[in-house]
Amino acid sequence: MNILFLIQTFWAAVRAIPVTVLITSASVLIGLPLGFLLAWIKIRKIRILYPLAVVYTSLMRATPMVLLILLFYSTLPSFLNVIMNQKLHWHIKVFDTNPVIYAIIVFSLIAIANLSEVFRSAILTIDPGQKEAALMVGLSPIQAYYRIIIPQALVSAIPNIGNLTLNILKGTSLAFMMTVQEVTAVAKTAASYTYNYTEAYIDIFIIYFILGTLLQIIFRYLERYLSRHKLRVKAV
Amino acid sequence: MPPFSFKFFLSVFGQVLPYLPVTLLIIILSIIFSSLLGVIIARGQLGSSKVWRTVSQGYVFVLRSTPPIVLLFLVFYGLPKLLLLSLNININDWQKSIFVIIALSLLFASNLAEVFKSAYLSVNTGQREAALMVGLSEWQAFYRITLPQAIVVALPNFANTVAALIKDAALAYVIGLLDMMGAGDNLISRNFGHHSLETYLALAIIYWILFVIIEQSAKYLEKYLGKGHTIASKSAEVVA
Amino acid sequence: MLKVRNFKKKYHQHEVLKGIDIEVNQGDVVALLGPSGSGKTTFLRGLAFLTPGDSGVITFDDQKINIESATPSDIKKLRRKMGFVFQNFNLFANKTAIQNVEEGLIIGHKVSKPEAKRRATEALKKVGLQQYANHYPSQLSGGQAQRVGIARAAALNPEIILLDEPTSALDPELVADVLQVIKHLADEGKTMIVVTHEMAFARDVADKVVFMDKGLVVEQNEPTSFFDDPKSPRLKEFLSRISAVNVADNSFEYEKAVQK
């Protein structure tokens, strides 16, 4: 065991944490509204879009993350190149784009599909009586949705959103396949010079443990904060 | 980018499907070992021994944040070193599939422990007490009353975990295992990086079919096993 | 004021309502009684189009709605004249007691915020809960929650309030307070339809009692004749089946309410 290498590589990998955090948070933040839209399409069974939404969700949830990454990374740049440069003549240097962008796109696509299922089940758990009461005091169906149902669904969805964020965080360990310089890539590269792979992966393991634990603390706090109205105080 | 070749796309299935048994073997063995380990960990979490409870809870907590690929590499690079240094056992010539199975079993044991634990806890303690009071032994109460109910409760989450395991098993090719993904990877290199879209798409479809099979059989099983529970709740709807 | 003709509703193959005719005059309190499964709740929810009926005509003042051809704007217009009190309260779980009352005023009826606050506070005061204004529904007892539910409906000042078994989800000792609040509304001259099992309450507060069984209105009368001189065999059977204990129990809770 090369302790010196272990420590040096740890600090090198720590400096790559912002990339990992950026990809994770950007993907989840993009995924939240779009996932909600997709959930809405599925709940309301919107014509034409509904079957597409179902197939998209199923495919994204069924396909291994590594395969999705390879699939998108091998085709997305060329695809964008064809559209932007050959069709629209925007002359954007697609192939020079920071791979972080591609990573955010791929993980967002995954987040959207999973969050749509999280939202769908959260909305379906809200008692239909809530909507009925809203309609009876004069709210429109849309007002009932965003004033009564969504705020409640969001609270009950928080633990699952937390799980998904954790999964995306863990998934970013595959972003090195897109040449993104995140935690795993940096440590792996360091190891490849000296063959200290075990040490490098111990470093990565520790960093993910710290990040994952912080994430869980944040979500637990968020859940507690948002579910104030659920706190059961003994009724007087 | 060469245009999409439908002919090549179809030929991919013929090239990678012969490796489906490798993928399936890894999946099935990992499910078995992770279930066994999962039961032990769940038992530890629920048991009265404080040491075991701390150890098993700690295990679950640590593994929750561990990316599959990191664990896979740790097992692949670290385990031989550890065994060689500590016990002087050389496992460097073990097959790669063994490392994959160890990594997946370690990883999913923690997920399954949670599934088993919450299923066990969801069965009303009154069920056990009633069983004891009609003269069943502690063990009989468990396997005749609690266990059958817990299995029904655990099934959806168990199926979800299996689906996740199947997906993570696709990582095995990164340590050089020749499974479906490995075969697809070889195919792309033989074509100098061309036809990656066709290859990955065909693989995605195979995984999708596996996923749908798991999903549907879990649904069927749930319906079949859950007969006793669901009838009462269905008929309540109509009452005005 | 409200007239319903030939209201029908089917669930799958089962005909739950076989043609209900009912008339409610301004200021009337109509108690709707009947065994469980008789369709009382279905009818009340059908009036508000929460679970719309299949056919029939609803006439409310000058608005005439054919149920089969009701448009969303018809329904909206009709609901504006109605308040609804739910069996299981359905308070908005993400809003405090006062926000529950304000919600309909501000968003549904476009009342200004200060005015809504004033009216909501007054409505809560009327049900004796102004000190619970900032409690969330989960922090209220069932009886308190239902009183907020009534305040929420009454604050909108609807022409009619529909109450769907307002006390049947409550513990017995909480029933009295809620009944008292409803009686208060009746004394103010509010028009109401109450689906209930509280016989003593129906007898004392209602102007008209309607007995439903198997999807039909079997008998209706003013309360004294209804209870003391039932005509149809089915109502006789229904009244006799309600055990003496039950009636005594109900009257006890109700009398407590009256004494307060």
Side-chain angles (χ1 to χ4, degrees), chain C:
Chain C
M1 175 165 106
L2 171 66
K3 204 189 264 181
V4 183
R5 284 286 166 264
N6 208 15
F7 191 107
K8 287 186 181 173
K9 172 78 182 170
K10 245 186 201 169
Y11 273 118
H12 310 297
Q13 292 309 308
H14 180 59
E15 210 173 14
V16 186
L17 298 173
K18 299 171 183 159
I20 302 288
D21 295 328
I22 255 181
E23 211 165 305
V24 182
N25 295 319
Q26 178 84 46
D28 269 359
V29 176
V30 176
L32 213 51
L33 304 184
S36 60
S38 59
K40 316 171 293 264
T41 290
T42 309
F43 173 65
L44 203 70
R45 291 172 55 83
L47 272 184
F49 282 85
L50 290 173
T51 36
D54 299 330
S55 63
V57 179
I58 299 173
T59 315
F60 202 121
D61 296 337
D62 55 350
Q63 191 189 7
K64 188 170 174 181
I65 300 180
N66 219 317
I67 289 170
E68 290 134 302
S69 57
T71 64
S73 72
D74 288 337
I75 296 171
K76 197 168 180 186
K77 191 176 164 206
L78 179 74
R79 280 182 183 155
R80 277 189 92 84
K81 301 173 193 162
M82 295 174 163
F84 203 101
V85 176
F86 295 86
Q87 180 177 355
N88 51 358
F89 332 130
N90 288 344
L91 293 188
F92 304 130
N94 56 329
K95 307 219 173 254
T96 60
I98 191 157
Q99 286 169 344
N100 260 277
V101 184
E102 287 172 342
E103 184 73 14
L105 289 164
I106 298 171
I107 307 298
H109 290 238
K110 309 271 184 291
V111 175
S112 73
K113 275 185 188 174
E115 172 67 4
K117 194 179 169 75
R118 194 187 61 75
R119 279 167 68 177
T121 312
E122 193 185 330
L124 284 180
K125 204 167 160 187
K126 261 191 191 166
V127 298
L129 288 174
Q130 72 268 43
Q131 70 272 38
Y132 291 94
N134 296 318
H135 284 54
Y136 281 100
S138 59
Q139 300 164 332
L140 300 172
S141 73
Q144 292 166 337
Q146 190 59 296
R147 283 189 276 157
V148 174
I150 293 169
R152 179 173 70 178
L156 298 170
N157 207 11
E159 295 188 36
I160 189 168
I161 302 180
L162 311 178
L163 300 99
D164 179 17
E165 305 200 22
T167 58
S168 62
L170 301 178
D171 292 336
E173 71 273 16
L174 301 174
V175 169
D177 289 342
V178 172
L179 289 181
Q180 192 202 20
V181 166
I182 299 172
K183 185 177 175 351
H184 233 90
L185 287 174
D187 293 344
E188 284 179 2
K190 268 271 170 245
T191 315
M192 289 188 272
I193 303 180
V194 192
V195 173
T196 186
H197 294 288
E198 306 288 335
M199 297 300 156
F201 170 78
R203 184 178 192 130
D204 191 55
V205 176
D207 301 293
K208 183 159 82 175
V209 187
V210 177
F211 176 65
M212 277 177 69
D213 191 22
K214 302 201 175 94
L216 284 169
V217 172
V218 177
E219 192 168 334
Q220 47 184 313
N221 216 331
E222 48 84 29
T224 329
S225 327
F226 182 93
F227 287 106
D228 298 343
D229 185 20
K231 307 275 189 305
S232 58
R234 269 196 270 169
L235 176 56
K236 281 180 192 165
E237 195 206 330
F238 175 72
L239 290 175
S240 69
R241 252 195 299 149
I242 297 168
S243 69
V245 178
N246 197 342
V247 172
D249 211 32
N250 278 329
S251 346
F252 175 65
E253 291 302 336
Y254 178 66
E255 272 154 25
K256 270 204 314 202
V258 175
Q259 279 162 16
K260 277 196 181 174

Side-chain angles (χ1 to χ4, degrees), chain B residues 115-194:
Chain B
V115 172
F116 297 151
K117 187 183 83 173
S118 62
Y120 177 82
L121 291 177
S122 77
V123 179
N124 194 329
T125 48
Q127 295 283 315
R128 180 182 141 265
E129 288 167 0
L132 295 179
M133 290 316 292
V134 296
L136 272 63
S137 71
E138 194 72 65
W139 171 244
Q140 285 168 331
F142 175 72
Y143 87 90
R144 295 188 60 85
I145 307 295
T146 309
L147 187 63
Q149 296 182 52
I151 286 177
V152 179
V153 177
L155 203 66
N157 288 331
F158 185 79
N160 281 340
T161 311
V162 168
L165 188 146
I166 293 176
K167 290 196 280 177
D168 285 348
L171 286 173
Y173 91 100
V174 298
I175 63 164
L177 183 81
L178 193 58
D179 64 345
M180 280 200 305
M181 284 291 292
D185 203 41
N186 284 349
L187 193 59
I188 293 167
S189 347
R190 276 209 303 276
N191 287 287
F192 310 105
H194 294 310

